[in-house]
Amino acid sequence: MSHSIAQREIISLLSHCAEYPAMDGFQFVETRIGEMAARYDYSLSPAIVAFMDGLRDDRAGTLSRAAEHFLICTRLCTGEEKRLGLHAHIMLGAIYGELGDNFKAYHHFSQVLEHSSELDPAPLASLYVNLSHLFLGLRRYEDVVRFGRQAITISTELQSHYGLVIGLINTGLALAHLGNTEEGYIMVKRALTAAETHQLDRFLGLTHSYNAMVLAMHRPDQIHQTEFHYQKAVELMASMTSNYDSLDNLLRYADFLLKNNRASEVKDMWDDLNRLVVGFGSVELDHRLIKIEIALLRRENQSRLLLEALDRYLASLECEYDASCKREGDLLIRQVSKLEEYQADLISMQVHNNLDAITEIGQLISTADNLGSVMTKVLDKVGLIFPTHEFGIGLYDASTQELDYRYFITRDGFMPAITVQCDKVVNFGSYVINTGQTVHLSNVSAEVMQGYYRKFADLQQSPFHYEAKNFGPQETQSMLLTPVRLGNEVLGILSVQAIEQDQYQQHHRQLFERLASLIAIALKNLRQKEELQKNYARLEHVSRTDPLTQLFNRHHLKTVVRQVVNTAASDQQPVTVILIDIDYYKGYNDHLGHYAGDQALVAVANTIKVTFGDEGDYVFRYGGDELLVISKGSKLTHVRRKLKSLKSTIKALNLVHPLSQCSDRVTLSVGATYCSEIHNDTALFNQAFEEADQRLYQVKDQGRNGFMIGSLGDAPIVRAFDGHVAV
């Protein structure tokens, strides 16, 4: 099992090798792979070794040897290593494109295109980047723009800065060649900003080179700015002299110098330039080198007639090259279009075959009164279409920016119901909410996660995020997360995950996005229903609650009495009815003011609510300063202890009462009736209430500040005044 995990992690790292350019990038990848192999006691497979050898030679600039290793890798990759084989084909296509063998390049890209419906966005982004570069060399600028824009879209979704930068510069240069220099210039400037922000040194040099090319077309008068970009590119790519992009930049810079009458500077760099270009073995670069040599000779007035003949010869070669590019481009684009149409038809067929099942899931969710009650059935039906170990619906509240993971479920039951603050926490869910983009991953690794958590230097030290326990490299490997939207309103996210790699293909993504659109109205209705329930609960609370004391009001008494009488009779429980008055409350209110009176009433009410806080206790504001307690299930001794405690607690409040005739502090008078049993008849309760009221008045007649308890229909059995109790 550990060997399988090691192989998975290593292939994931190699599939992102484009993010680590140049030889130092390769050394980083090599070190990381060594650490992974040691951690899992894993010996690298022959396919991985061949890919590593090819990557080493590619970074060193020995492209022919690199191609040999990548070819070996493609032949060795089977089963779980199929993903690595596709990346090897992409590397081969890029190499043959640089060497000018467009048909070989296309042959390898077509191997990937034939599986495009099965791929997740990562290899697709790399494929479209390289296709845009291939057609840039063939001067098929419309096609460059098409593939470049696809690369930009997918790379942005994946947080792949390599794909974004190369897609931008290829598209920007193609737009400039098509006459749209303004947009082209904006794109290459955007690429430069991205490369600087993410410190992509190799690509930073490349972006400076492309900025110089587009600037020369867009603003030819800005010679100094154009030269600045060329020089920065030379400086940044100085360590990569055997690299195609570096040599391409040197030739363009030399041509720029010649056009600005600086031939002496070109002569100074000529020997090194000639040695490097001739040694690289690219027909295109050799051709451009010869053109620069002829331009130098012309400026020295050497063999004018010979130079003129060479000019004519080169012009004819250029015409032939243009015609060849057109023929190759026409043929290749027809083949690409045919493969794309086939893959699109295949995806459409797969989507169509599952639409009924998707509709059924949407209807199940839409017709549910309670979403939680149908999630198990939803999980079963989702599992018939998508490989699934977890499915979830997250609800988003735009007013609080909270994402509620309430409805996430596995075969073992619901996941913990947590919330994520999308404006503060960076995770896959908040990424989907904030960008409105689908996350489609077939290999969740640390490298992939870093793209989404990039603002944190150490992933393990990032703030709380839901995926920490569920989306680690040894657990979830494939995932789809997509926003649920209704118009411009984001209602939440839809999520499905699988433990195995490469589980979700392009038709899965389209089906999942279709499901999200189907349940959008259901989630909107659910939210409205929850709001109505909250409003109803608030209204119900208001209708039965006294606004000042937050005790039950008199209107709610009938409902409670019916409940108490029924349950007490059924369970044979005692019931006590207690009436409470604040002694001389009107004087307190008149002397100290209504605000102080209200505060005293609230303090007394809270004290009573705490004292009579058992499950069977109900406390009401019956009217004015008169309070009512109904206690179900408490024995007489327990009621008595509570009333004694209440007297002590009220005294401890220390509410000074200047006009009281029974104490210098606020006190209470209490009358109560204890019913050892009560039949299912409210008439008995009403009798108990009347007797409690009579006892309250007896307490008042005897000087107040006390309580009196009696059984139903009997004389008082407990009396207490000013702390003295008589039985």
Side-chain angles (χ1 to χ4, degrees):
M1 179 64 181
S2 61
H3 285 189
S4 178
I5 294 170
Q7 183 184 60
R8 198 164 63 204
E9 289 190 21
I10 289 170
I11 290 175
S12 176
L13 177 61
L14 290 175
S15 69
H16 290 81
C17 64
E19 303 286 346
Y20 309 102
M23 185 54 73
D24 56 347
F26 169 78
Q27 290 165 353
F28 168 79
V29 171
E30 188 176 40
T31 300
R32 284 288 307 278
I33 288 175
E35 292 170 353
M36 292 176 185
R39 183 165 67 248
Y40 295 107
D41 190 24
Y42 171 70
S43 298
L44 300 184
S45 71
I48 292 175
V49 171
F51 192 98
M52 289 288 292
D53 289 341
L55 192 61
R56 181 187 295 106
D57 285 330
D58 176 76
R59 297 301 188 252
T62 52
L63 300 187
S64 296
R65 282 171 51 191
E68 291 174 7
H69 292 302
F70 285 126
L71 279 169
I72 293 171
C73 178
T74 61
R75 294 169 188 148
L76 293 173
C77 286
T78 58
E80 291 184 358
E81 292 182 326
K82 179 180 177 182
R83 178 187 178 94
L84 184 66
L86 293 176
H87 280 283
H89 278 298
I90 291 174
M91 296 296 294
L92 283 163
I95 288 171
Y96 286 122
E98 286 191 16
L99 293 175
D101 195 334
N102 298 320
F103 280 101
K104 275 191 178 179
Y106 172 73
H107 165 75
H108 291 287
F109 290 144
S110 69
Q111 302 300 306
V112 186
L113 277 168
E114 287 176 0
H115 297 279
S116 62
S117 64
E118 306 169 19
L119 300 178
D120 71 351
L124 281 178
S126 183
L127 174 64
Y128 287 131
V129 164
N130 282 285
L131 281 175
S132 71
H133 205 66
L134 174 65
F135 285 104
L136 187 65
L138 291 171
R139 305 178 189 180
R140 302 278 302 202
Y141 300 122
E142 294 88 351
D143 299 309
V144 174
V145 172
R146 177 162 73 94
F147 292 120
R149 290 194 192 280
Q150 287 175 288
I152 292 167
T153 299
I154 301 175
S155 297
T156 301
E157 173 188 316
L158 284 172
Q159 301 287 294
S160 168
H161 304 299
Y162 150 75
L164 176 63
V165 167
I166 304 303
L168 283 169
I169 59 176
N170 285 347
T171 307
L173 184 58
L175 286 169
H177 278 293
L178 291 170
N180 191 351
T181 55
E182 179 64 31
E183 186 182 358
Y185 184 62
I186 291 172
M187 282 198 156
V188 294
K189 289 294 288 183
R190 181 181 161 195
L192 180 58
T193 300
E196 289 175 337
T197 301
H198 301 289
Q199 300 178 334
L200 307 175
D201 290 344
R202 174 191 173 187
F203 304 128
L204 187 57
L206 198 58
T207 53
H208 275 292
S209 180
Y210 275 59
N211 266 268
M213 286 186 267
V214 176
L215 191 61
M217 290 185 272
H218 180 56
R219 297 176 183 172
D221 55 318
Q222 294 194 10
I223 296 173
H224 294 299
Q225 189 67 15
T226 302
E227 183 174 10
F228 165 77
H229 285 298
Y230 273 131
Q231 287 180 339
K232 285 296 292 183
V234 171
E235 174 187 333
L236 289 165
M237 293 193 287
S239 62
M240 300 181 290
T241 53
S242 58
N243 175 272
Y244 178 90
D245 294 323
S246 173
L247 296 177
D248 176 69
N249 179 71
L250 284 171
L251 288 170
R252 293 185 187 280
Y253 182 39
D255 188 57
F256 167 80
L257 292 173
L258 283 175
K259 289 177 179 175
N260 287 277
N261 300 314
R262 295 162 63 180
S264 60
E265 295 177 51
V266 178
K267 290 178 68 176
D268 290 341
M269 59 190 293
W270 178 256
D271 289 341
D272 288 337
L273 185 61
N274 184 63
R275 173 178 53 81
L276 292 170
V277 171
V278 171
F280 188 75
S282 168
V283 174
E284 179 193 354
L285 296 182
D286 287 345
H287 182 201
R288 286 164 53 193
L289 182 70
I290 293 171
K291 288 184 68 175
I292 291 173
E293 183 178 16
I294 291 172
L296 277 173
L297 292 172
R298 177 180 290 110
R299 278 166 173 75
E300 296 176 358
N301 292 318
Q302 295 184 17
S303 306
R304 180 177 59 83
L305 294 176
L306 174 61
L307 292 174
E308 289 175 356
L310 285 173
D311 276 345
R312 290 193 299 273
Y313 174 68
L314 285 174
S316 67
L317 286 179
E318 186 129 0
C319 288
E320 184 179 339
Y321 179 73
D322 287 342
S324 175
C325 283
K326 186 177 186 310
R327 287 193 302 272
E328 289 186 16
D330 288 343
L331 178 59
L332 293 181
I333 203 61
R334 282 197 299 271
Q335 293 174 332
V336 169
S337 298
K338 186 176 180 181
L339 277 173
E340 286 187 317
E341 288 173 9
Y342 171 75
Q343 292 298 318
D345 289 343
L346 183 60
I347 292 171
S348 296
M349 181 179 68
Q350 291 168 323
V351 169
H352 178 76
N353 290 342
N354 288 281
L355 277 181
D356 289 344
I358 285 292
T359 303
E360 187 178 349
I361 295 170
Q363 289 174 343
L364 180 60
I365 293 172
S366 300
T367 56
D369 292 329
N370 181 346
L371 187 55
S373 66
V374 299
M375 285 302 292
T376 300
K377 290 183 180 178
V378 170
L379 179 64
D380 290 338
K381 292 186 178 297
V382 166
L384 297 175
I385 309 170
F386 306 93
T388 310
H389 86 268
E390 181 181 315
F391 173 76
I393 300 174
L395 304 180
Y396 178 63
D397 186 341
S399 63
T400 61
Q401 298 191 56
E402 286 184 344
L403 180 59
D404 182 356
Y405 288 83
R406 191 185 319 173
Y407 303 111
F408 272 62
I409 188 170
T410 69
R411 299 295 175 189
D412 298 325
F414 281 93
M415 301 293 291
I418 63 170
T419 57
V420 165
Q421 198 72 31
C422 290
D423 59 335
K424 296 178 182 176
V425 175
V426 177
N427 70 351
F428 288 114
S430 64
Y431 174 85
V432 171
I433 291 293
N434 291 328
T435 64
Q437 295 179 345
T438 296
V439 171
H440 176 188
L441 298 172
S442 287
N443 193 359
V444 181
S445 63
E447 281 70 32
V448 171
M449 292 181 75
Q450 286 286 3
Y452 293 90
Y453 296 81
R454 197 170 289 275
K455 65 184 291 186
F456 304 113
D458 182 355
L459 183 63
Q460 302 303 320
Q461 299 301 317
S462 66
F464 168 79
H465 52 84
Y466 175 73
E467 291 84 356
K469 295 181 180 179
N470 301 289
F471 296 152
Q474 296 184 31
E475 299 192 28
T476 289
Q477 285 301 307
S478 301
M479 69 166 63
L480 279 171
L481 286 89
T482 195
V484 180
R485 283 178 292 208
L486 191 61
N488 294 324
E489 184 180 7
V490 179
L491 303 172
I493 64 169
L494 208 60
S495 170
V496 65
Q497 298 102 43
I499 295 175
E500 297 80 12
Q501 287 185 346
D502 304 317
Q503 295 300 297
Y504 303 130
Q505 302 171 8
Q506 294 301 308
H507 75 280
H508 287 122
R509 174 174 179 156
Q510 291 189 23
L511 285 166
F512 206 58
E513 290 172 342
R514 183 77 62 93
L515 177 60
S517 66
L518 283 176
I519 69 170
I521 295 177
L523 291 193
K524 181 70 172 179
N525 291 339
L526 175 67
R527 177 176 295 173
Q528 291 175 339
K529 182 179 178 181
E530 288 181 343
E531 286 299 319
L532 285 173
Q533 289 173 339
K534 288 178 183 177
N535 291 335
Y536 177 76
R538 285 193 290 266
L539 181 62
E540 186 182 19
H541 176 77
V542 169
S543 69
R544 59 188 175 87
T545 305
D546 172 60
L548 176 62
T549 62
Q550 295 301 302
L551 301 177
F552 291 132
N553 59 27
R554 189 168 180 169
H555 299 295
H556 192 49
L557 180 59
K558 288 184 179 180
T559 302
V560 172
V561 168
R562 284 194 299 269
Q563 293 173 353
V564 168
V565 169
N566 290 338
T567 57
S570 174
D571 300 336
Q572 296 183 333
Q573 292 178 313
V575 174
T576 306
V577 180
I578 306 167
L579 283 169
I580 304 170
D581 264 6
I582 300 176
D583 294 326
Y584 301 106
Y585 179 73
K586 186 177 184 303
Y588 187 96
N589 210 34
D590 291 345
H591 183 74
L592 296 176
H594 290 294
Y595 177 75
D598 287 348
Q599 293 298 103
L601 182 58
V602 169
V604 170
N606 287 338
T607 302
I608 296 172
K609 190 159 53 174
V610 170
T611 304
F612 290 89
D614 291 340
E615 184 180 352
D617 293 338
Y618 303 87
V619 185
F620 299 81
R621 184 182 181 186
Y622 192 70
D625 65 316
E626 191 172 20
L627 307 170
L628 168 66
V629 177
I630 300 174
S631 181
K632 176 173 68 71
S634 293
K635 299 295 184 181
L636 177 61
T637 53
H638 192 200
V639 174
R640 175 181 161 183
R641 282 197 301 271
K642 284 186 176 182
L643 288 175
K644 286 182 64 178
S645 173
L646 177 62
K647 282 177 61 66
S648 301
T649 309
I650 291 295
K651 185 176 181 180
L653 290 177
N654 203 27
L655 297 173
V656 177
H657 192 339
L659 299 185
S660 175
Q661 298 177 29
C662 63
S663 174
D664 60 350
R665 299 288 185 270
V666 167
T667 58
L668 304 178
S669 293
V670 181
T673 300
Y674 175 77
C675 308
S676 60
E677 61 179 37
I678 190 164
H679 303 297
N680 196 353
D681 184 356
T682 56
L684 289 176
F685 178 88
N686 292 337
Q687 183 183 341
F689 182 91
E690 292 298 330
E691 291 187 12
D693 194 37
Q694 291 173 14
R695 292 185 179 106
L696 173 61
Y697 278 101
Q698 290 177 34
V699 172
K700 289 182 178 181
D701 289 343
Q702 296 179 38
R704 308 192 186 219
N705 188 18
F707 64 83
M708 186 179 292
I709 306 175
S711 291
L712 182 64
D714 294 333
I717 53 177
V718 178
R719 297 183 181 87
F721 293 90
D722 194 24
H724 174 70
V725 178
V727 179

